[in-house]
């Protein structure tokens, strides 16, 4: 059954005339008559009584009309919904990100997206990179911000990756620390320091990169939240590592010095989408806004720590 026949049928029923329906739809009267006859043939029903002046619905026509209106209304709603997805006037965007990316980078992109496309509902799930990789494969996440390091690669075979930024490490020190004036530090200079870590297991923390060069920090305090770790550092109870993604959100009573790149491999940060699948318009728009957010973040990092790359070859 051609839905075009249903549209003609509804128009004739509303106007009570083949001629009036033809004028309204821009058809000839004979074209309207042929389409109504085709619908009657498809349904095996007589839909109109042909009168000397116009037509009138039969009982079968009355029965079909309610169904035709429901079908055409649903088709119209489907067209509207599809247009909303194309034009970003509706729909959903599901974003996943690891914790540090949620400090500045992802919120900036989400805020810009909401300002540009307020009718799209955006949700955010925070977790570790392997969780988001699984979410992308399962269709639970549309786009994810992932991090990796040489010691912790993840499977990229089924992902489209868009490099956003390289996440360098900074040493957070109390303002009264003897090394607080330094712009770049080496791990060897920190051998006797007390460290604040996010876990009692060094391999699960940012400090794990130090193990690669044979340095094992003396962890004296453990605090799961990085804001709490900053508080302990500010109080003079130890030092910790802060990734560049979180530098702009670091409290002002903590001094930051770049950790020499030979002592800590950088984490590459990517925006990831499933490979081989159509990319929704909302994801395309969000990826561009992530690029803009990266540019803003670079400026904020440099404002917070200065041009550290002159001394350390760290390119932010």
């Amino acid at each position: 059954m051609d839905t075009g026949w249903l549209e003609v049928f509804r128009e004739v029923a509303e106007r009570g005339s083949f001629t009036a329906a033809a004028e309204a739809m821009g058809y000839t009267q004979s074209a309207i008559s042929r389409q109504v006859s085709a619908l009657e043939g498809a349904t095996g029903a007589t839909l109109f009584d042909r009168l000397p002046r116009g037509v009138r619905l039969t009982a079968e026509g009355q029965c079909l009309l309610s169904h035709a209106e429901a079908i055409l209304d649903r088709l119209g709603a489907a067209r509207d919904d599809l247009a909303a997805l194309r034009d970003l006037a509706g729909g959903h965007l599901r974003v996943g990100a690891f914790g540090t990316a949620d400090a500045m980078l992802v919120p900036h992109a989400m805020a810009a997206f909401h300002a540009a496309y307020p009718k799209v509902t955006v949700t955010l799930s925070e977790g570790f990179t392997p969780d988001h990789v699984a979410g992308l494969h399962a269709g639970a996440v549309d786009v994810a911000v992932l991090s990796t390091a040489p010691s912790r690669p993840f499977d990229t075979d089924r992902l489209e990756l868009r490099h956003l930024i390289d996440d360098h490490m900074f040493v957070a020190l109390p303002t009264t620390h003897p090394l607080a004036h330094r712009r770049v530090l080496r791990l060897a200079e920190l051998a006797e320091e007390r460290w604040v870590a996010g876990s009692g297991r060094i391999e699960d923390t940012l400090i794990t990169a130090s193990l690669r060069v044979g340095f094992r920090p003396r962890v004296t305090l453990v605090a799961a939240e990085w804001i709490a770790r900053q508080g302990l550092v500010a109080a003079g109870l130890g030092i910790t590592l802060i990734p560049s993604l979180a530098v702009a959100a670091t409290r002002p009573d903590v001094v930051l010095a770049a950790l020499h790149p030979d002592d800590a491999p950088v984490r590459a940060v990517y925006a990831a989408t499933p490979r081989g699948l159509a990319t929704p318009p909302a994801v395309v728009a969000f990826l561009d806004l992530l690029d803009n957010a990266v540019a803003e973040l670079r400026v904020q990092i440099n404002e917070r720590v200065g041009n550290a790359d002159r001394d350390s070859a760290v390119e932010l």
Side-chain angles (χ1 to χ4, degrees), residues 7 18 74 88-89 93 102 116 118-119 129 195 206 208 249 255 271 273:
E7 291 176 348
F18 286 179
R74 287 297 299 272
L88 299 181
L93 175 65
D102 289 339
K119 294 185 178 179
T129 287
W195 285 79
L206 292 173
T208 186
V255 175
T273 55

Side-chain angles (χ1 to χ4, degrees), residues 85 88 90-94 113 119-123 142 280 282-283:
L85 289 176
L88 299 181
H92 296 79
L93 175 65
R94 301 166 299 172
F113 187 91
K119 294 185 178 179
V120 179
T121 301
V122 183
T123 57
D142 299 312
V283 172

Side-chain angles (χ1 to χ4, degrees), residues 174-199:
T175 57
T176 57
H177 196 284
L179 298 176
H181 66 287
R182 295 279 298 281
R183 298 173 68 84
V184 182
L185 293 173
R186 301 299 302 260
L187 285 175
E189 301 175 273
L190 306 173
E192 302 302 320
E193 297 292 334
R194 296 174 298 173
W195 285 79
V196 182
S199 168

Side-chain angles (χ1 to χ4, degrees), residues 94-98 102 123-127 132 140-141:
R94 301 166 299 172
V95 181
F98 63 97
D102 289 339
T123 57
L124 173 66
S125 59
E126 183 179 303
H132 294 313
V141 177

Side-chain angles (χ1 to χ4, degrees), residues 202-266:
I202 296 176
E203 290 78 6
D204 295 332
T205 71
L206 292 173
I207 309 175
T208 186
S210 68
L211 303 178
R212 182 180 65 93
V213 294
F215 178 84
R216 192 168 189 89
R218 183 165 61 100
V219 176
T220 57
L221 291 171
V222 173
E225 295 295 331
W226 68 276
I227 294 179
R229 294 197 290 275
Q230 290 184 58
L232 294 170
V233 171
L237 298 174
I239 66 174
T240 194
L241 289 184
I242 299 287
S244 59
L245 288 179
V247 158
T250 304
R251 52 190 293 167
D253 55 352
V254 168
V255 175
L256 298 175
L259 184 62
H260 196 282
D262 289 346
D263 290 343
V266 300

